[in-house]
Amino acid sequence: MTQHITITTTQNTEPALTPETKDQLMQVGSANVANVLLKRGFKNVMMLGLSQVSADQPRMVGPAYTLRFIPAREDLDSMATYQRDDNKHRRAIEECPAGAVLVIDAFGSLQASSMGDLMAARLKYRNVTGVVTDGGFRDSADIAATGLPCYQVHNAPPATPIALHPVALNEPVGCAGVAVYPGDIVVGDVDGVVVIPQHLVNEVADEALAVAEYEEFAALRIAQGRPLFGLFPATKESTQEYHRWVASGRPEQETSS
């Protein structure tokens, strides 16, 4: 007797990132997002050890589209395979949706390039939001010149087929030790890259923005000589003071209550 097994997933198939939510996340830091996720029990969301290709690249926010590499094998990987239109590395560049972040699982390998400048230029032209890899890129200066936000461990100039075989598109991956499911929201800035489970993105964005706005108030008070005690982390009293500050137009100088 044949049994039919139905496999369900908790992943939401509807787009999770609205323009409003993206705008909120563009205003907050990756560290704030990680703290908000920590309050919800998510400890492993920050991709550690990654750096921006360019110090002045813009912030990055978008849903994940994934590419997974495994180690190359000599009978399957060569420069000739990159002539083929079914090569999954090339397909990732052409199929990653506009607005998405291409997340490349290179299993931490720096033995070969996860991407070069022409691929980055093509992604930029196609309005892809950015690229993240736990490996490295080649032609990094030219990648930076495209203006595409990109994150890597370190430059990796050798040709891709030397060490990397593209095996899967838009499936769950691990990148820099973090689980990334297609559609999860990837946020990158100067501090690093954080991954938000897509079903939590709206509430996380709301809270992270609220935290960032309170920290603006706290930073102003600290610059005026206030101690951290009773100010940061926020207390009931300092939160009430913050709301009065907002209602009064966010003055730069502290006024008596």
Side-chain angles (χ1 to χ4, degrees):
M1 180 176 178
T2 302
Q3 290 184 322
H4 297 282
I5 300 174
T6 301
I7 299 175
T8 60
T9 175
T10 58
Q11 289 300 106
N12 187 356
T13 58
E14 296 181 359
L17 188 63
T18 65
E20 294 77 15
T21 300
K22 181 175 181 177
D23 181 66
Q24 288 178 307
L25 291 172
M26 288 291 287
Q27 300 177 61
V28 303
S30 59
N32 269 349
V33 171
N35 282 350
V36 171
L37 285 166
L38 179 60
K39 290 174 61 177
R40 288 159 174 79
F42 292 85
K43 300 178 181 179
N44 187 39
V45 294
M46 198 85 191
M47 294 185 183
L48 302 178
L50 304 188
S51 299
Q52 300 180 122
V53 167
S54 173
D56 59 356
Q57 68 184 31
R59 290 175 182 249
M60 179 185 74
V61 176
Y65 181 91
T66 65
L67 165 66
R68 180 165 62 90
F69 284 116
I70 62 174
R73 204 174 75 178
E74 286 78 2
D75 61 335
L76 297 175
D77 297 284
S78 68
M79 293 306 296
T81 63
Y82 274 75
Q83 300 291 328
R84 296 168 56 108
D85 291 345
D86 62 351
N87 178 280
K88 287 185 174 65
H89 194 186
R90 298 181 73 199
R91 283 182 53 197
I93 304 304
E94 295 297 332
E95 296 177 19
C96 183
V101 174
L102 178 59
V103 178
I104 302 175
D105 171 7
F107 58 94
S109 176
L110 296 173
Q111 297 180 50
S113 170
S114 293
M115 185 183 70
D117 62 328
L118 294 182
M119 287 184 166
R122 177 61 178 159
L123 291 171
K124 176 68 174 178
Y125 181 84
R126 296 187 56 250
N127 294 316
V128 169
T129 292
V131 183
V132 178
T133 184
D134 58 0
F137 304 124
R138 63 188 298 163
D139 316 310
S140 291
D142 291 328
I143 289 176
T146 69
L148 181 71
C150 293
Y151 296 79
Q152 64 174 354
V153 174
H154 196 275
N155 294 342
T160 306
I162 292 174
L164 302 175
H165 174 77
V167 71
L169 292 175
N170 217 32
E171 296 180 357
V173 300
C175 187
V178 176
V180 183
Y181 289 81
D184 284 349
I185 307 306
V186 184
V187 179
D189 63 8
V190 67
D191 280 338
V193 178
V194 65
V195 180
I196 308 171
Q198 62 172 303
H199 65 284
L200 294 175
V201 64
N202 292 326
E203 63 184 82
V204 168
D206 286 342
E207 184 172 341
L209 183 58
V211 169
E213 290 177 341
Y214 177 84
E215 288 185 354
E216 178 187 351
F217 160 77
L220 181 62
R221 292 294 180 258
I222 289 170
Q224 294 167 349
R226 286 269 293 273
L228 290 177
F229 301 120
L231 179 65
F232 185 81
T235 64
K236 178 180 178 180
E237 292 75 16
S238 68
T239 300
Q240 292 172 345
E241 183 186 353
Y242 161 72
H243 288 305
R244 290 194 297 271
W245 175 72
V246 171
S248 63
R250 303 174 184 258
E252 293 188 5
Q253 296 299 318
E254 187 169 8
T255 56
S256 58
S257 301

